Amino acid sequence: MKEAEKFEKSTLFEGIVSLRALLLAYESTYNDRRILEVLYDTDKIKRTPKEYMFLKKRAETLGFRLTETPRTEIDLLALGQSHGGILAKCTDRTLPALENAKIQKDGFYVMLEGIEDPYNFGYALRSLYAAGVNGVILPPRNWMSAAGIVCRASAGAAEQLPLFCAQSAEDAALFFKDRGYALICADLPNSVPLYDTALKLPLFLVVGGEKRGISKPVLEKADAIVRIDYGRDFPAALSAASAAAILGFEIFRQNRN
């Protein structure tokens, strides 16, 4: 099976970290994903009886199946080998349209565009979640079809973040600017250094992929276009995930008080 096909079919959530994130999602108002069944390594029950009993109680409370399953069967279903003997089969998650969203008055929102694989997408979500972002805006074509991979790469953050869908970055930019948000774009042409730019909330940050970048109509609406200066001469671009982490934590730093 081709790598891209594996990603598209990665509807299984692997490992205890992903499972805990799924369980926490039941307490949210923005994530309607539900667990259908958890496959649990039969041999693992003897090694981790407390974990198993915890999941058994949660299964009874929340209404999903907990199925004892041979490790060999789990290995065949999983994408990797670091699942720890746990797989969760889940429903899809609804991504509400941004136009209907109720956003925070002084929030920090980010749009991710053009990230080339679900691992980098997950790494970006992990960093943005840690930096305190209030929500992430996604284009219609995004990596949430590979939700299991994204959840694992994000250490569960993908299921803890409010996610919204916009038809385009330009639509999202107009939405936030109409609500008094500053529009900040990460790009090179006509840019100013990130660390010399005031980045006070409310703020909407657009991060483009390494190949396609940010569209001209969005850049024309920006209140500031920022770049990440390097510590040496280096012609290559940072990955979108790395850039999102640096940008997110600089915005956190400037607004932490």
Side-chain angles (χ1 to χ4, degrees), residues 47-253:
R47 302 193 303 272
T48 56
K50 290 183 179 180
E51 180 181 84
Y52 181 78
M53 290 307 299
F54 165 75
L55 291 177
K56 187 175 182 180
K57 290 180 180 178
R58 296 302 287 159
E60 293 170 356
T61 301
L62 299 176
F64 62 84
R65 297 187 301 276
L66 179 61
T67 306
E68 299 178 20
T69 308
R71 178 66 178 245
T72 52
E73 184 176 332
I74 292 175
D75 285 341
L76 288 173
L77 292 170
L79 283 176
Q81 295 298 316
S82 57
H83 49 71
I86 297 174
L87 292 181
K89 299 178 181 180
C90 300
T91 64
D92 290 332
R93 175 180 176 178
T94 304
L95 296 184
L98 177 62
E99 61 194 41
N100 301 321
K102 294 182 180 179
I103 63 169
Q104 295 193 22
K105 182 179 179 180
D106 294 311
F108 169 27
Y109 292 82
V110 177
M111 184 163 194
L112 297 174
E113 276 202 309
I115 295 184
E116 299 299 323
D117 70 79
Y119 294 102
N120 278 333
F121 179 62
Y123 300 150
L125 293 182
R126 182 197 300 211
S127 297
L128 291 171
Y129 182 79
V133 71
N134 297 115
V136 174
I137 321 304
L138 303 175
R141 294 187 64 183
N142 58 66
W143 281 113
M144 288 311 292
S145 61
I149 290 175
V150 172
C151 184
R152 191 70 181 273
S154 70
E159 297 301 307
Q160 303 306 307
L161 272 169
L163 302 176
F164 306 96
C165 188
Q167 288 302 310
S168 68
E170 186 176 6
D171 287 346
L174 290 171
F175 176 90
F176 281 99
K177 286 186 74 70
D178 285 347
R179 287 155 179 78
Y181 273 60
L183 171 60
I184 307 298
C185 294
D187 212 326
L188 281 177
N190 305 312
S191 62
V192 294
L194 170 65
Y195 301 119
D196 296 336
T197 307
L199 300 168
K200 297 300 181 183
L201 304 182
L203 185 150
F204 177 50
L205 171 67
V206 179
V207 181
E210 301 97 300
K211 293 183 179 179
R212 291 188 292 274
I214 300 172
S215 65
K216 184 177 178 181
V218 176
L219 292 172
E220 289 174 345
K221 295 175 177 63
D223 294 289
I225 301 172
V226 298
R227 66 176 183 272
I228 300 170
D229 288 338
Y230 295 171
R232 58 164 52 89
D233 185 20
F234 181 55
L238 294 177
S239 69
S242 297
I246 294 169
L247 291 157
F249 275 95
E250 175 60 15
I251 293 168
F252 164 70
R253 185 191 70 80

